[in-house]
Amino acid sequence: MELFRCRVASAPGKVLMTGGYLILERPNAGLVLSTNARFYAIVKPLYHHLSPDSWAWAWTDVKLTSPQLSRESMYKLSLKNVTLQCVSSRQVFYGSGNPFVEQAVQYSVAAAHATFDKDKKEALQKLLLQDFPELLESDASSGLAMQIEARGLPLLPEALATLPPFASITFNSEESSGENCKPEVAKTGLGSSAAMTTAVVAALLHYLGVVNLALLSDQNQVKDTTDLDVVHMIAQTAHCVAQGKVGSGFDVSSAVYGSHRYVRFSPEVISSAQVSAKGAPLQEVILEILKGKWDHERTKFCLPPLMTLLLGEPGAGGSLTPSMVGAVKKWQKADPQKTQETWRKLSEENLALETQLNTLSKLAEKHLDEYKSLINSCSMLKPEKRQIYDVRFYKMLGQWIEQATQQSQEAIAKALVGARNAMLGIRYHMRQMGKAAGVPIEPESQTQLLDATMNMEGVLLAGVPGAGGFDAVFAVTLGDSSNHVIKSWSSRNVLAMLVREDPRGVSLEGADPRTREITSSISSIRIE
């Protein structure tokens, strides 16, 4: 094994466009888009010299650093049972540890122990003793609207681009002594804990020689996903154990594989990991995990050409997703018949949107020139306002249909209309679900914002991603119509983030991102 090396891995944040709540149960699917907002994990040697008595050591040092949170922790890692024990901490502002990173370390090292032969295990032992890595976790920056407002700048992407990359997060104190400080960041729903867990697992597994990952620039050429599958299994397990529950896993899946259509795995596949929390040997657990029947489904999907994903931050502080999910589950048990009917209709609309978007991608491939012409024409047209859901909107979007001058363009226009109708249906049923469960899945403030957004020139879709609430809103625009949305959002105190769809998943980076210029296309996001 090569010593004294540095490895940097990054994983994307996500936007769950469809599948909120339904994705918790098989075989319901969700469309998840990965983004250019990436989370970084840097693995580098902590020590470069091996002590003469190191052969007798039972523990090795691990240093976890979160520069943006001004947080640093020292651990001891047991070389026998691969468990971490915090021995000191200099988390100046943020007193708690990070269970996601801690579990990522333990499960990654356990995977190396469990899969290596005798010779490789001896080399691994030396590597762990001599220079077990220092881990630095960073996102692309943090603070967003609050940082911009503090500088007296407008809530526009141009102001976002002036913020330094990887800027430190500011904290407020609940006590005069400075204790119980919390980060001043608004939750954006990009899945930071999943992306960070994935980045740490990927960086460590590559560093330890368990997998061989591709650089970000080469990821589109990757055909064999075997190594990515290993990262996925370890990251899913570590994330679920850190959360204390088995979630749907779509956020980890998109962090590993990028944009796709996702159907969750059966929770039983990581039941052994839940047992490990009660004292089962981690190396045995990880072998069961790696040999388990992972039955999740992943199908290629991304937005059709000439469509742009926009993500807006209202700055309302975010929503507590677990409590909202809990309320919906409670309603599901209390009124199963009504729930089943609502979920059936919602599932039909989700499938309709997926079908129309896939149709648009196929039509773009087959009739590219006609597709480009129609999309550019529709991007300049503003639909009429219409508040009633229970009718079809072909009349409302007559202007789009009228732009079709060829037979192929008629099919494209109808698919655009069909996609828009499906999103209106999704929003309607999500609101109904929220009312029945007593939670703000699409709060009134978001409804007003989304209705206004969908009435702008060139806007195809707008909605609340994932579980909804106050976290964020998204829009999908046609052609060059994004500026209309950005300016309108700014007038409503909503910040259009520099987040766009990037279908690539986890990958290696060529260098520490803090030592090179971060382009303005990378967004400011938070670590949960």
Side-chain angles (χ1 to χ4, degrees), residues 17-21 342 345-350 353 386-389 393 396 419-435 440-456 459-466 468 473-475:
M17 193 163 64
T18 70
Y21 298 96
T342 300
K345 293 178 180 177
L346 185 54
S347 180
E348 288 175 355
E349 298 291 5
N350 286 340
L353 178 57
R386 187 84 170 256
Q387 300 300 324
I388 303 173
Y389 164 70
F393 285 73
M396 181 186 78
R420 185 179 174 94
N421 288 336
M423 177 52 70
L424 289 167
I426 290 169
R427 287 183 53 204
Y428 173 80
H429 293 301
M430 291 285 273
R431 286 196 301 271
Q432 295 300 106
M433 184 191 302
K435 290 177 182 177
I441 292 178
E442 186 183 291
E444 179 59 29
S445 59
Q446 304 287 60
T447 296
Q448 293 176 10
L449 173 63
L450 295 173
D451 285 346
T453 300
M454 290 191 73
N455 284 320
M456 297 178 197
V459 175
L460 179 65
L461 312 172
V464 288
V473 294
F474 75 88

Short mmCIF file of all heavy atoms in Angstrom, two decimals, residues 17-21 342 345-350 353 386-389 393 396 419-435 440-456 459-466 468 473-475:
data_model
loop_
_atom_site.label_atom_id
_atom_site.label_comp_id
_atom_site.label_asym_id
_atom_site.label_seq_id
_atom_site.Cartn_x
_atom_site.Cartn_y
_atom_site.Cartn_z
N MET A 17 -37.43 14.99 -6.74
CA MET A 17 -38.45 15.69 -7.51
C MET A 17 -39.82 15.04 -7.35
O MET A 17 -40.85 15.73 -7.25
CB MET A 17 -38.04 15.73 -8.99
CG MET A 17 -38.84 16.68 -9.82
SD MET A 17 -38.07 17.08 -11.40
CE MET A 17 -38.08 15.48 -12.20
N THR A 18 -39.86 13.70 -7.35
CA THR A 18 -41.12 12.99 -7.09
C THR A 18 -40.85 11.83 -6.14
O THR A 18 -39.72 11.37 -6.01
CB THR A 18 -41.73 12.41 -8.39
OG1 THR A 18 -40.92 11.32 -8.85
CG2 THR A 18 -41.84 13.45 -9.47
N GLY A 19 -41.90 11.37 -5.48
CA GLY A 19 -41.76 10.21 -4.61
C GLY A 19 -41.79 10.52 -3.13
O GLY A 19 -41.59 9.63 -2.31
N GLY A 20 -42.01 11.80 -2.77
CA GLY A 20 -42.06 12.15 -1.35
C GLY A 20 -43.06 11.28 -0.59
O GLY A 20 -44.20 11.10 -1.04
N TYR A 21 -42.63 10.71 0.53
CA TYR A 21 -43.43 9.83 1.40
C TYR A 21 -43.67 8.46 0.77
O TYR A 21 -43.44 7.43 1.41
CB TYR A 21 -44.75 10.49 1.79
CG TYR A 21 -44.55 11.75 2.58
CD1 TYR A 21 -44.58 12.98 1.96
CD2 TYR A 21 -44.29 11.70 3.95
CE1 TYR A 21 -44.35 14.15 2.68
CE2 TYR A 21 -44.07 12.87 4.68
CZ TYR A 21 -44.09 14.09 4.04
OH TYR A 21 -43.86 15.24 4.75
N THR A 342 -55.30 8.12 -1.59
CA THR A 342 -54.47 9.29 -1.88
C THR A 342 -53.14 8.87 -2.47
O THR A 342 -52.66 9.46 -3.45
CB THR A 342 -54.23 10.10 -0.59
OG1 THR A 342 -55.49 10.53 -0.07
CG2 THR A 342 -53.36 11.32 -0.88
N LYS A 345 -53.48 7.77 -6.16
CA LYS A 345 -53.58 8.89 -7.09
C LYS A 345 -52.24 9.62 -7.23
O LYS A 345 -51.86 10.03 -8.33
CB LYS A 345 -54.65 9.87 -6.60
CG LYS A 345 -56.07 9.31 -6.67
CD LYS A 345 -57.08 10.30 -6.13
CE LYS A 345 -58.50 9.74 -6.19
NZ LYS A 345 -59.48 10.70 -5.60
N LEU A 346 -51.56 9.76 -6.10
CA LEU A 346 -50.25 10.43 -6.14
C LEU A 346 -49.25 9.61 -6.95
O LEU A 346 -48.46 10.14 -7.73
CB LEU A 346 -49.75 10.65 -4.71
CG LEU A 346 -48.45 11.44 -4.53
CD1 LEU A 346 -48.54 12.79 -5.23
CD2 LEU A 346 -48.17 11.64 -3.04
N SER A 347 -49.29 8.29 -6.76
CA SER A 347 -48.40 7.41 -7.51
C SER A 347 -48.67 7.50 -9.01
O SER A 347 -47.73 7.50 -9.82
CB SER A 347 -48.58 5.96 -7.04
OG SER A 347 -47.73 5.09 -7.74
N GLU A 348 -49.94 7.62 -9.38
CA GLU A 348 -50.30 7.74 -10.80
C GLU A 348 -49.73 9.04 -11.39
O GLU A 348 -49.22 9.04 -12.51
CB GLU A 348 -51.82 7.71 -10.96
CG GLU A 348 -52.43 6.34 -10.71
CD GLU A 348 -53.95 6.37 -10.75
OE1 GLU A 348 -54.53 7.48 -10.87
OE2 GLU A 348 -54.57 5.28 -10.64
N GLU A 349 -49.81 10.12 -10.63
CA GLU A 349 -49.28 11.39 -11.12
C GLU A 349 -47.75 11.36 -11.19
O GLU A 349 -47.15 11.91 -12.12
CB GLU A 349 -49.75 12.55 -10.23
CG GLU A 349 -51.26 12.75 -10.18
CD GLU A 349 -51.84 13.27 -11.49
OE1 GLU A 349 -51.09 13.40 -12.49
OE2 GLU A 349 -53.05 13.55 -11.51
N ASN A 350 -47.12 10.72 -10.21
CA ASN A 350 -45.65 10.58 -10.25
C ASN A 350 -45.22 9.82 -11.50
O ASN A 350 -44.27 10.21 -12.19
CB ASN A 350 -45.17 9.82 -9.00
CG ASN A 350 -45.21 10.67 -7.74
OD1 ASN A 350 -45.26 11.89 -7.80
ND2 ASN A 350 -45.22 10.00 -6.60
N LEU A 353 -45.63 11.99 -14.66
CA LEU A 353 -44.54 12.96 -14.85
C LEU A 353 -43.29 12.25 -15.37
O LEU A 353 -42.62 12.73 -16.30
CB LEU A 353 -44.24 13.67 -13.54
CG LEU A 353 -43.07 14.68 -13.58
CD1 LEU A 353 -43.32 15.74 -14.64
CD2 LEU A 353 -42.86 15.32 -12.22
N ARG A 386 -54.67 30.13 -13.95
CA ARG A 386 -55.86 29.27 -13.79
C ARG A 386 -55.74 28.59 -12.43
O ARG A 386 -54.73 27.96 -12.14
CB ARG A 386 -55.88 28.23 -14.91
CG ARG A 386 -57.13 27.39 -14.95
CD ARG A 386 -58.22 28.12 -15.73
NE ARG A 386 -59.35 27.24 -15.99
CZ ARG A 386 -59.59 26.69 -17.17
NH1 ARG A 386 -58.77 26.90 -18.18
NH2 ARG A 386 -60.64 25.93 -17.33
N GLN A 387 -56.71 28.69 -11.59
CA GLN A 387 -56.60 28.21 -10.22
C GLN A 387 -57.25 26.84 -9.99
O GLN A 387 -57.06 26.23 -8.95
CB GLN A 387 -57.25 29.22 -9.26
CG GLN A 387 -56.61 30.60 -9.32
CD GLN A 387 -55.15 30.58 -8.95
OE1 GLN A 387 -54.74 29.82 -8.09
NE2 GLN A 387 -54.35 31.41 -9.60
N ILE A 388 -58.03 26.34 -10.95
CA ILE A 388 -58.77 25.09 -10.73
C ILE A 388 -57.91 23.92 -11.14
O ILE A 388 -57.31 23.92 -12.21
CB ILE A 388 -60.08 25.11 -11.53
CG1 ILE A 388 -60.92 26.32 -11.14
CG2 ILE A 388 -60.87 23.82 -11.29
CD1 ILE A 388 -62.14 26.52 -12.00
N TYR A 389 -57.85 22.89 -10.29
CA TYR A 389 -57.04 21.72 -10.64
C TYR A 389 -57.83 20.67 -11.42
O TYR A 389 -57.30 20.01 -12.30
CB TYR A 389 -56.46 21.06 -9.38
CG TYR A 389 -55.96 19.67 -9.69
CD1 TYR A 389 -54.83 19.48 -10.48
CD2 TYR A 389 -56.67 18.54 -9.28
CE1 TYR A 389 -54.39 18.22 -10.83
CE2 TYR A 389 -56.25 17.27 -9.62
CZ TYR A 389 -55.09 17.12 -10.39
OH TYR A 389 -54.67 15.87 -10.73
N PHE A 393 -55.32 21.04 -18.53
CA PHE A 393 -54.82 22.38 -18.79
C PHE A 393 -54.37 22.59 -20.23
O PHE A 393 -53.55 23.43 -20.50
CB PHE A 393 -53.66 22.68 -17.83
CG PHE A 393 -54.11 22.96 -16.44
CD1 PHE A 393 -54.57 21.95 -15.62
CD2 PHE A 393 -54.09 24.26 -15.93
CE1 PHE A 393 -54.99 22.21 -14.33
CE2 PHE A 393 -54.52 24.51 -14.64
CZ PHE A 393 -54.97 23.50 -13.84
N MET A 396 -55.26 26.11 -21.21
CA MET A 396 -54.40 27.09 -20.57
C MET A 396 -53.07 27.19 -21.30
O MET A 396 -52.49 28.26 -21.43
CB MET A 396 -54.17 26.70 -19.12
CG MET A 396 -53.30 27.69 -18.35
SD MET A 396 -52.91 27.12 -16.69
CE MET A 396 -51.63 25.94 -17.02
N ALA A 419 -46.50 16.82 -18.72
CA ALA A 419 -45.60 16.92 -17.57
C ALA A 419 -46.08 17.98 -16.59
O ALA A 419 -46.08 17.78 -15.37
CB ALA A 419 -44.19 17.23 -18.04
N ARG A 420 -46.52 19.10 -17.13
CA ARG A 420 -47.00 20.19 -16.27
C ARG A 420 -48.27 19.77 -15.52
O ARG A 420 -48.42 20.03 -14.32
CB ARG A 420 -47.26 21.42 -17.12
CG ARG A 420 -47.66 22.65 -16.33
CD ARG A 420 -47.88 23.82 -17.27
NE ARG A 420 -48.39 24.95 -16.53
CZ ARG A 420 -47.64 25.93 -16.00
NH1 ARG A 420 -46.34 25.87 -16.13
NH2 ARG A 420 -48.20 26.94 -15.36
N ASN A 421 -49.18 19.12 -16.23
CA ASN A 421 -50.40 18.65 -15.58
C ASN A 421 -50.10 17.67 -14.46
O ASN A 421 -50.73 17.69 -13.40
CB ASN A 421 -51.32 17.98 -16.61
CG ASN A 421 -51.96 18.98 -17.55
OD1 ASN A 421 -52.10 20.15 -17.22
ND2 ASN A 421 -52.35 18.52 -18.73
N ALA A 422 -49.14 16.77 -14.72
CA ALA A 422 -48.78 15.79 -13.70
C ALA A 422 -48.23 16.48 -12.45
O ALA A 422 -48.56 16.08 -11.33
CB ALA A 422 -47.76 14.81 -14.27
N MET A 423 -47.41 17.50 -12.63
CA MET A 423 -46.88 18.21 -11.45
C MET A 423 -47.98 18.92 -10.69
O MET A 423 -47.98 18.94 -9.45
CB MET A 423 -45.79 19.20 -11.88
CG MET A 423 -45.22 20.04 -10.73
SD MET A 423 -44.66 19.07 -9.31
CE MET A 423 -43.20 18.28 -9.99
N LEU A 424 -48.95 19.49 -11.41
CA LEU A 424 -50.09 20.11 -10.72
C LEU A 424 -50.85 19.06 -9.91
O LEU A 424 -51.30 19.33 -8.79
CB LEU A 424 -51.01 20.78 -11.73
CG LEU A 424 -50.46 22.06 -12.39
CD1 LEU A 424 -51.31 22.45 -13.59
CD2 LEU A 424 -50.39 23.19 -11.37
N GLY A 425 -50.98 17.86 -10.48
CA GLY A 425 -51.65 16.78 -9.76
C GLY A 425 -50.86 16.34 -8.54
O GLY A 425 -51.42 16.08 -7.47
N ILE A 426 -49.54 16.24 -8.68
CA ILE A 426 -48.68 15.88 -7.55
C ILE A 426 -48.84 16.88 -6.42
O ILE A 426 -49.01 16.51 -5.25
CB ILE A 426 -47.21 15.79 -8.01
CG1 ILE A 426 -47.01 14.58 -8.92
CG2 ILE A 426 -46.27 15.70 -6.79
CD1 ILE A 426 -45.67 14.57 -9.62
N ARG A 427 -48.79 18.15 -6.76
CA ARG A 427 -48.91 19.19 -5.74
C ARG A 427 -50.28 19.12 -5.04
O ARG A 427 -50.37 19.28 -3.82
CB ARG A 427 -48.70 20.57 -6.37
CG ARG A 427 -47.27 20.88 -6.75
CD ARG A 427 -47.15 22.30 -7.30
NE ARG A 427 -47.73 23.25 -6.36
CZ ARG A 427 -48.19 24.46 -6.73
NH1 ARG A 427 -48.16 24.84 -8.00
NH2 ARG A 427 -48.70 25.26 -5.81
N TYR A 428 -51.31 18.90 -5.83
CA TYR A 428 -52.66 18.82 -5.25
C TYR A 428 -52.75 17.69 -4.22
O TYR A 428 -53.23 17.89 -3.10
CB TYR A 428 -53.68 18.62 -6.38
CG TYR A 428 -55.09 18.37 -5.88
CD1 TYR A 428 -55.90 19.42 -5.47
CD2 TYR A 428 -55.60 17.07 -5.81
CE1 TYR A 428 -57.19 19.20 -5.01
CE2 TYR A 428 -56.89 16.84 -5.35
CZ TYR A 428 -57.68 17.90 -4.95
OH TYR A 428 -58.95 17.67 -4.49
N HIS A 429 -52.31 16.53 -4.59
CA HIS A 429 -52.43 15.38 -3.69
C HIS A 429 -51.47 15.49 -2.50
O HIS A 429 -51.79 15.01 -1.40
CB HIS A 429 -52.19 14.08 -4.46
CG HIS A 429 -53.27 13.78 -5.45
ND1 HIS A 429 -54.59 13.62 -5.09
CD2 HIS A 429 -53.22 13.63 -6.80
CE1 HIS A 429 -55.33 13.39 -6.16
NE2 HIS A 429 -54.52 13.38 -7.22
N MET A 430 -50.33 16.12 -2.69
CA MET A 430 -49.43 16.36 -1.56
C MET A 430 -50.07 17.32 -0.56
O MET A 430 -49.96 17.14 0.66
CB MET A 430 -48.09 16.91 -2.05
CG MET A 430 -47.24 15.92 -2.83
SD MET A 430 -46.44 14.67 -1.79
CE MET A 430 -44.94 15.54 -1.33
N ARG A 431 -50.76 18.34 -1.07
CA ARG A 431 -51.46 19.26 -0.16
C ARG A 431 -52.57 18.54 0.60
O ARG A 431 -52.76 18.76 1.80
CB ARG A 431 -52.05 20.44 -0.95
CG ARG A 431 -51.03 21.46 -1.41
CD ARG A 431 -51.70 22.77 -1.82
NE ARG A 431 -52.67 22.59 -2.90
CZ ARG A 431 -52.38 22.65 -4.19
NH1 ARG A 431 -51.13 22.85 -4.58
NH2 ARG A 431 -53.33 22.50 -5.11
N GLN A 432 -53.31 17.70 -0.11
CA GLN A 432 -54.38 16.93 0.53
C GLN A 432 -53.81 16.02 1.62
O GLN A 432 -54.38 15.88 2.70
CB GLN A 432 -55.13 16.10 -0.50
CG GLN A 432 -55.90 16.92 -1.54
CD GLN A 432 -56.95 17.81 -0.89
OE1 GLN A 432 -56.78 19.03 -0.80
NE2 GLN A 432 -58.02 17.22 -0.41
N MET A 433 -52.69 15.40 1.34
CA MET A 433 -52.05 14.54 2.33
C MET A 433 -51.63 15.36 3.55
O MET A 433 -51.82 14.94 4.69
CB MET A 433 -50.81 13.86 1.72
CG MET A 433 -50.13 12.87 2.65
SD MET A 433 -48.51 12.32 2.02
CE MET A 433 -48.96 11.65 0.44
N GLY A 434 -51.07 16.53 3.31
CA GLY A 434 -50.64 17.38 4.41
C GLY A 434 -51.80 17.81 5.29
O GLY A 434 -51.69 17.81 6.52
N LYS A 435 -52.92 18.18 4.66
CA LYS A 435 -54.10 18.58 5.44
C LYS A 435 -54.61 17.42 6.29
O LYS A 435 -54.96 17.60 7.46
CB LYS A 435 -55.19 19.07 4.50
CG LYS A 435 -54.89 20.40 3.83
CD LYS A 435 -56.00 20.78 2.86
CE LYS A 435 -55.67 22.10 2.14
NZ LYS A 435 -56.72 22.45 1.14
N PRO A 440 -47.48 20.68 7.35
CA PRO A 440 -47.40 21.60 6.20
C PRO A 440 -46.52 21.05 5.08
O PRO A 440 -45.39 21.52 4.86
CB PRO A 440 -46.79 22.86 6.82
CG PRO A 440 -45.90 22.34 7.92
CD PRO A 440 -46.62 21.13 8.47
N ILE A 441 -47.00 20.05 4.35
CA ILE A 441 -46.21 19.49 3.24
C ILE A 441 -46.01 20.54 2.16
O ILE A 441 -44.91 20.70 1.63
CB ILE A 441 -46.89 18.23 2.69
CG1 ILE A 441 -46.84 17.10 3.74
CG2 ILE A 441 -46.22 17.78 1.40
CD1 ILE A 441 -47.53 15.82 3.31
N GLU A 442 -47.08 21.24 1.78
CA GLU A 442 -46.93 22.41 0.94
C GLU A 442 -47.61 23.57 1.66
O GLU A 442 -48.81 23.82 1.47
CB GLU A 442 -47.54 22.22 -0.46
CG GLU A 442 -47.25 23.40 -1.39
CD GLU A 442 -47.89 23.27 -2.77
OE1 GLU A 442 -47.46 22.39 -3.54
OE2 GLU A 442 -48.83 24.05 -3.06
N PRO A 443 -46.89 24.28 2.51
CA PRO A 443 -47.48 25.38 3.27
C PRO A 443 -48.07 26.45 2.35
O PRO A 443 -47.68 26.55 1.19
CB PRO A 443 -46.28 25.94 4.06
CG PRO A 443 -45.25 24.86 4.05
CD PRO A 443 -45.45 24.12 2.76
N GLU A 444 -48.98 27.23 2.89
CA GLU A 444 -49.65 28.25 2.10
C GLU A 444 -48.65 29.21 1.46
O GLU A 444 -48.81 29.62 0.31
CB GLU A 444 -50.64 29.02 2.97
CG GLU A 444 -51.39 30.14 2.24
CD GLU A 444 -52.21 29.64 1.05
OE1 GLU A 444 -52.66 28.48 1.08
OE2 GLU A 444 -52.38 30.41 0.08
N SER A 445 -47.62 29.58 2.20
CA SER A 445 -46.62 30.49 1.65
C SER A 445 -45.91 29.87 0.45
O SER A 445 -45.62 30.56 -0.53
CB SER A 445 -45.59 30.87 2.72
OG SER A 445 -44.93 29.71 3.22
N GLN A 446 -45.65 28.57 0.53
CA GLN A 446 -45.02 27.89 -0.60
C GLN A 446 -45.99 27.75 -1.77
O GLN A 446 -45.60 27.87 -2.93
CB GLN A 446 -44.54 26.49 -0.18
CG GLN A 446 -43.58 26.45 1.01
CD GLN A 446 -42.19 26.95 0.68
OE1 GLN A 446 -42.05 28.09 0.28
NE2 GLN A 446 -41.19 26.11 0.87
N THR A 447 -47.26 27.52 -1.46
CA THR A 447 -48.27 27.41 -2.52
C THR A 447 -48.34 28.70 -3.33
O THR A 447 -48.37 28.67 -4.57
CB THR A 447 -49.66 27.09 -1.93
OG1 THR A 447 -49.62 25.80 -1.30
CG2 THR A 447 -50.73 27.09 -3.01
N GLN A 448 -48.38 29.84 -2.64
CA GLN A 448 -48.43 31.12 -3.34
C GLN A 448 -47.19 31.32 -4.21
O GLN A 448 -47.28 31.79 -5.35
CB GLN A 448 -48.56 32.25 -2.32
CG GLN A 448 -49.88 32.24 -1.57
CD GLN A 448 -49.95 33.32 -0.50
OE1 GLN A 448 -49.09 34.20 -0.43
NE2 GLN A 448 -50.98 33.27 0.34
N LEU A 449 -46.03 30.95 -3.65
CA LEU A 449 -44.77 31.10 -4.39
C LEU A 449 -44.75 30.19 -5.62
O LEU A 449 -44.37 30.61 -6.72
CB LEU A 449 -43.59 30.79 -3.47
CG LEU A 449 -42.20 30.74 -4.13
CD1 LEU A 449 -41.83 32.09 -4.71
CD2 LEU A 449 -41.16 30.27 -3.12
N LEU A 450 -45.18 28.95 -5.44
CA LEU A 450 -45.15 27.99 -6.54
C LEU A 450 -46.17 28.33 -7.63
O LEU A 450 -45.89 28.18 -8.82
CB LEU A 450 -45.38 26.58 -6.01
CG LEU A 450 -44.29 26.04 -5.07
CD1 LEU A 450 -44.73 24.71 -4.47
CD2 LEU A 450 -42.97 25.88 -5.81
N ASP A 451 -47.36 28.78 -7.21
CA ASP A 451 -48.36 29.19 -8.21
C ASP A 451 -47.83 30.34 -9.06
O ASP A 451 -47.98 30.36 -10.29
CB ASP A 451 -49.66 29.60 -7.52
CG ASP A 451 -50.45 28.42 -6.99
OD1 ASP A 451 -50.14 27.27 -7.39
OD2 ASP A 451 -51.38 28.63 -6.17
N ALA A 452 -47.21 31.31 -8.39
CA ALA A 452 -46.65 32.45 -9.11
C ALA A 452 -45.53 32.00 -10.04
O ALA A 452 -45.40 32.49 -11.18
CB ALA A 452 -46.12 33.49 -8.12
N THR A 453 -44.73 31.05 -9.58
CA THR A 453 -43.61 30.56 -10.38
C THR A 453 -44.11 29.85 -11.63
O THR A 453 -43.60 30.06 -12.74
CB THR A 453 -42.74 29.59 -9.55
OG1 THR A 453 -42.24 30.29 -8.41
CG2 THR A 453 -41.58 29.06 -10.37
N MET A 454 -45.14 29.02 -11.48
CA MET A 454 -45.65 28.27 -12.62
C MET A 454 -46.40 29.15 -13.62
O MET A 454 -46.74 28.70 -14.72
CB MET A 454 -46.54 27.11 -12.16
CG MET A 454 -45.76 26.00 -11.47
SD MET A 454 -46.71 24.47 -11.19
CE MET A 454 -46.80 23.81 -12.88
N ASN A 455 -46.66 30.39 -13.25
CA ASN A 455 -47.31 31.33 -14.17
C ASN A 455 -46.31 32.22 -14.88
O ASN A 455 -46.70 33.18 -15.56
CB ASN A 455 -48.32 32.19 -13.41
CG ASN A 455 -49.59 31.43 -13.09
OD1 ASN A 455 -50.08 30.66 -13.91
ND2 ASN A 455 -50.12 31.63 -11.91
N MET A 456 -45.02 31.93 -14.75
CA MET A 456 -43.99 32.72 -15.42
C MET A 456 -43.65 32.13 -16.79
O MET A 456 -43.90 30.96 -17.05
CB MET A 456 -42.73 32.78 -14.56
CG MET A 456 -42.91 33.46 -13.23
SD MET A 456 -41.37 33.41 -12.27
CE MET A 456 -42.01 33.79 -10.65
N VAL A 459 -41.73 28.36 -17.56
CA VAL A 459 -41.62 27.47 -16.41
C VAL A 459 -42.47 26.22 -16.67
O VAL A 459 -43.67 26.31 -16.89
CB VAL A 459 -42.08 28.16 -15.11
CG1 VAL A 459 -42.08 27.17 -13.96
CG2 VAL A 459 -41.17 29.34 -14.79
N LEU A 460 -41.81 25.06 -16.63
CA LEU A 460 -42.51 23.81 -16.85
C LEU A 460 -43.06 23.25 -15.55
O LEU A 460 -44.23 22.86 -15.48
CB LEU A 460 -41.56 22.78 -17.48
CG LEU A 460 -42.15 21.39 -17.74
CD1 LEU A 460 -43.26 21.46 -18.78
CD2 LEU A 460 -41.05 20.42 -18.18
N LEU A 461 -42.23 23.21 -14.52
CA LEU A 461 -42.60 22.59 -13.25
C LEU A 461 -42.17 23.47 -12.09
O LEU A 461 -41.22 24.24 -12.19
CB LEU A 461 -41.90 21.23 -13.08
CG LEU A 461 -41.94 20.22 -14.21
CD1 LEU A 461 -41.04 19.04 -13.88
CD2 LEU A 461 -43.36 19.76 -14.47
N ALA A 462 -42.85 23.33 -10.98
CA ALA A 462 -42.43 23.93 -9.72
C ALA A 462 -43.05 23.14 -8.59
O ALA A 462 -44.21 22.69 -8.70
CB ALA A 462 -42.84 25.41 -9.63
N GLY A 463 -42.31 22.93 -7.52
CA GLY A 463 -42.84 22.15 -6.41
C GLY A 463 -41.95 22.21 -5.19
O GLY A 463 -40.90 22.88 -5.19
N VAL A 464 -42.36 21.50 -4.15
CA VAL A 464 -41.52 21.34 -2.95
C VAL A 464 -40.86 19.97 -3.04
O VAL A 464 -41.53 18.97 -3.27
CB VAL A 464 -42.35 21.47 -1.65
CG1 VAL A 464 -42.77 22.90 -1.42
CG2 VAL A 464 -43.58 20.56 -1.69
N PRO A 465 -39.55 19.90 -2.89
CA PRO A 465 -38.87 18.61 -3.03
C PRO A 465 -39.03 17.74 -1.79
O PRO A 465 -39.27 18.23 -0.69
CB PRO A 465 -37.40 19.01 -3.24
CG PRO A 465 -37.28 20.32 -2.51
CD PRO A 465 -38.60 21.00 -2.66
N GLY A 466 -38.88 16.43 -2.00
CA GLY A 466 -38.85 15.50 -0.88
C GLY A 466 -40.11 15.51 -0.05
O GLY A 466 -41.23 15.42 -0.56
N GLY A 468 -41.26 17.99 1.54
CA GLY A 468 -41.92 19.28 1.53
C GLY A 468 -41.58 20.12 2.73
O GLY A 468 -40.52 20.00 3.32
N VAL A 473 -37.80 25.26 -2.43
CA VAL A 473 -38.69 25.01 -3.57
C VAL A 473 -37.80 24.75 -4.78
O VAL A 473 -36.64 25.16 -4.81
CB VAL A 473 -39.64 26.19 -3.85
CG1 VAL A 473 -40.61 26.38 -2.70
CG2 VAL A 473 -38.84 27.47 -4.11
N PHE A 474 -38.36 24.06 -5.75
CA PHE A 474 -37.60 23.86 -6.99
C PHE A 474 -38.46 24.24 -8.18
O PHE A 474 -39.69 24.28 -8.10
CB PHE A 474 -37.11 22.41 -7.12
CG PHE A 474 -38.17 21.42 -7.51
CD1 PHE A 474 -38.46 21.16 -8.85
CD2 PHE A 474 -38.89 20.73 -6.54
CE1 PHE A 474 -39.44 20.25 -9.21
CE2 PHE A 474 -39.88 19.81 -6.90
CZ PHE A 474 -40.16 19.57 -8.24
N ALA A 475 -37.80 24.52 -9.27
CA ALA A 475 -38.48 24.79 -10.53
C ALA A 475 -37.66 24.17 -11.65
O ALA A 475 -36.44 24.03 -11.53
CB ALA A 475 -38.66 26.28 -10.76
#
